[in-house]
Amino acid sequence: MSTTIYSSLSGAKAAWTEMEMVSNNLANATSDGFKAHRLALKSQRVSDEALGNSYVKVAETVSDMSDGTLATTGVETHLALRGRGFFVVEGEEGPVLQRSGNFSIDAEGRLVNQRGQRVLTESGPLEIPDRERMIIDQDGVVRTDQGGEVGRLRLVDSQEVSPIGHGQWRSDGPTVSVNGVVKVIQGSLEKSNVDPMRAMVELMEASRYFESYQKAIQTTDELDGKANEIMRSR
């Protein structure tokens, strides 16, 4: 078998990975706070010879952290962030980060996300006194309509974050406070920053690349077959 087939195979694999990533972006185009993922590819040469083979591999997957559009809801527990940063909630194995601010008040008067995880302030879970309304300013300071301050949302950022599903992220490095840097918008939700039209174009391009690599693999296989026939006939 000719080794050139492996170059096409690596390209097909990279194109398939991109198709999966773009499809995931499209599937989350309406998910609150979702951030689009981008794929970076690189060529890796395995021989210094003039006709040496090169292969395509995934260099890295990055997340587009630009702000999504705002949707005004008027719900006091709905929060949106402007600028790079994350809310912090209690995960099963420690604090986790999320952009979606689709929160609600549970039976204990605590602000929670859709999974029931408690939203954290700088001093612990945020708890709203019974029958009082929550008012949050752009710096994340939480007060009630009775005028009392009950905490300040813990807002952080990290240069190394990895998505862990459910619109949440894990910090792979140290976090820094961004209180006063990012703005909190109460009564609104941040929508996904996926551009559906752009994603559809990217999906069609990746699909065409995949088909081209498939044809290259098929052609290489056919040429190998003919070469074997010639060798057997001699």
Side-chain angles (χ1 to χ4, degrees):
M1 178 185 293
S2 172
T3 58
T4 57
I5 197 172
Y6 295 113
S7 296
S8 298
L9 183 60
S10 70
K13 182 179 179 180
W16 182 263
T17 301
E18 185 169 10
M19 288 168 62
E20 289 183 320
M21 182 201 66
V22 177
S23 295
N24 183 63
N25 286 345
L26 278 170
N28 286 279
T30 59
S31 299
D32 296 334
F34 181 81
K35 299 303 179 186
H37 303 306
R38 308 289 180 204
L39 195 67
L41 304 176
K42 70 176 182 179
S43 175
Q44 181 170 333
R45 194 172 181 83
V46 296
S47 172
D48 294 330
E49 298 178 5
L51 298 179
N53 290 330
S54 295
Y55 301 97
V56 179
K57 64 181 299 184
V58 176
E60 61 177 338
T61 301
V62 297
S63 298
D64 177 4
M65 289 298 181
S66 62
D67 290 346
T69 58
L70 280 181
T72 301
T73 66
V75 179
E76 69 179 56
T77 58
H78 286 176
L79 308 176
L81 296 179
R82 299 285 85 183
R84 174 160 173 147
F86 299 89
F87 298 107
V88 184
V89 301
E90 283 186 332
E92 294 179 358
E93 300 179 358
V96 295
L97 315 180
Q98 70 176 66
R99 280 289 294 198
S100 173
N102 192 352
F103 302 133
S104 60
I105 302 294
D106 67 9
E108 298 177 345
R110 291 173 174 170
L111 190 66
V112 297
N113 64 11
Q114 292 182 306
R115 303 183 66 197
Q117 297 168 320
R118 296 181 294 186
V119 180
L120 298 179
T121 67
E122 294 179 339
S123 58
L126 176 60
E127 186 172 351
I128 305 300
D130 187 33
R131 301 182 184 280
E132 295 187 28
R133 293 181 58 250
M134 179 179 68
I135 301 172
I136 302 179
D137 65 19
Q138 290 189 345
D139 292 328
V141 176
V142 186
R143 297 179 174 86
T144 68
D145 58 353
Q146 303 300 317
E149 183 175 324
V150 293
R152 183 172 183 171
L153 292 174
R154 185 180 174 190
L155 306 174
V156 303
D157 189 19
S158 173
Q159 294 302 311
E160 302 176 27
V161 293
S162 302
I164 58 176
H166 305 288
Q168 296 183 321
W169 306 75
R170 179 188 65 245
S171 174
D172 298 323
T175 60
V176 295
S177 173
V178 291
N179 286 86
V181 179
V182 303
K183 293 182 178 180
V184 181
I185 309 298
Q186 187 177 17
S188 297
L189 291 175
E190 180 189 17
K191 310 307 290 184
S192 169
N193 69 352
V194 174
D195 182 342
M197 292 301 296
R198 174 180 176 179
M200 285 297 298
V201 172
E202 292 174 343
L203 186 60
M204 288 187 290
E205 289 179 344
S207 178
R208 285 198 294 267
Y209 291 146
F210 182 75
E211 291 175 357
S212 296
Y213 285 122
Q214 275 189 315
K215 291 178 181 178
I217 292 171
Q218 182 179 1
T219 300
T220 301
D221 186 55
E222 291 173 352
L223 290 175
D224 283 345
K226 291 180 179 179
N228 289 335
E229 290 179 1
I230 294 174
M231 293 298 295
R232 286 196 297 265
S233 65
R234 289 184 176 181

